């Protein structure tokens, strides 16, 4: 599933958020919430996160420091489930750590969903950060910077 777009919602008194129908897809109801520092929560379908961790686990078998990274990420993660109405309950301490009170912004980040307080999502600031990290994008691209050029073109940087 691909997550794109932005949506504004609220957290209900039980700590539940609603996911847009297009992000619920084929009945995906098992998710994992990971904190992104004090800025946001990342919501990933359980299967996608498991795939990522499986690859990371292969690398960590021979690296004690990387095993600690896997353990730390696992300790911070929390399972979430969507109900039939597309609502999921997020852990109150995770919401508070991300500075989320009542209003939230859901941002489709292609492979996952970024959940943050609306005031913590400033597209102009994000574009500035992206400009500073295009070198990393170029290293990922395998076509002489084509990926970085695509990002620059889309964001008009």
């Amino acid at each position: 599933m691909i997550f794109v777009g932005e949506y504004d919602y609220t957290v209900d008194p039980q700590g539940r958020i609603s996911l847009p129908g297009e992000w619920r897809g084929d009945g995906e109801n098992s998710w994992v919430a990971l904190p992104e520092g004090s800025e946001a929560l990342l919501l990933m379908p359980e299967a996608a996160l498991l795939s990522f961790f499986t690859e990371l686990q292969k690398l960590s078998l021979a690296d004690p420091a990387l095993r600690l990274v896997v353990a730390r990420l696992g300790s911070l993660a929390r399972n979430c489930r969507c109900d039939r109405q597309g609502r999921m309950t997020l852990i109150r301490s995770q919401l508070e750590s991300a500075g989320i009170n009542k209003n939230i912004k859901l941002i489709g980040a292609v492979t996952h969903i970024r959940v943050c307080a609306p005031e913590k999502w400033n597209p102009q600031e994000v574009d500035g950060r992206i400009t500073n990290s295009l070198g990393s994008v170029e290293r990922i691209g395998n076509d002489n910077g084509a990926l970085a050029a695509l990002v620059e073109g889309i964001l008009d940087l």
Side-chain angles (χ1 to χ4, degrees):
M1 168 152 299
I2 294 176
F3 305 102
V4 294
E6 291 182 23
Y7 298 90
D8 292 304
Y9 284 100
T10 58
V11 179
D12 75 10
Q14 290 82 26
R16 294 179 300 195
I17 66 169
S18 293
L19 291 183
E22 65 191 61
W23 287 357
R24 288 182 242 149
D26 300 328
E28 175 66 56
N29 69 353
S30 296
W31 297 77
V32 178
L34 284 165
E36 185 181 311
S38 62
E39 294 294 312
L41 296 176
L42 304 181
L43 287 177
M44 296 185 76
E46 190 176 85
L49 187 66
L50 184 58
S51 174
F52 168 76
F53 269 105
T54 299
E55 291 302 312
L56 190 57
Q57 193 70 30
K58 288 177 191 174
L59 297 172
S60 72
L61 289 175
D63 185 341
L66 199 49
R67 283 196 302 271
L68 286 174
V69 169
V70 172
R72 185 65 176 134
L73 288 173
S75 74
L76 294 170
R78 297 292 181 263
N79 289 317
C80 306
R81 294 188 94 50
C82 262
D83 65 16
R84 289 186 194 135
Q85 289 80 34
R87 299 173 305 190
M88 74 171 59
T89 302
L90 296 175
I91 305 296
R92 184 66 59 191
S93 61
Q94 282 188 326
L95 291 169
E96 290 170 358
S97 293
I100 298 170
N101 294 312
K102 180 119 178 103
N103 297 316
I104 61 168
K105 184 165 282 290
L106 302 177
I107 300 140
V110 184
T111 60
H112 61 279
I113 300 167
R114 181 183 172 93
V115 181
C116 64
E119 62 273 11
K120 291 192 177 188
W121 181 248
N122 180 335
Q124 291 77 25
E125 181 183 317
V126 171
D127 289 352
R129 286 177 163 175
I130 291 169
T131 299
N132 294 332
S133 55
L134 281 176
S136 299
V137 175
E138 285 178 356
R139 287 191 295 277
I140 296 169
N142 60 2
D143 192 12
N144 298 324
L147 183 57
L150 175 65
V151 170
E152 287 178 12
I154 291 171
L155 298 176
D156 196 26
L157 301 174

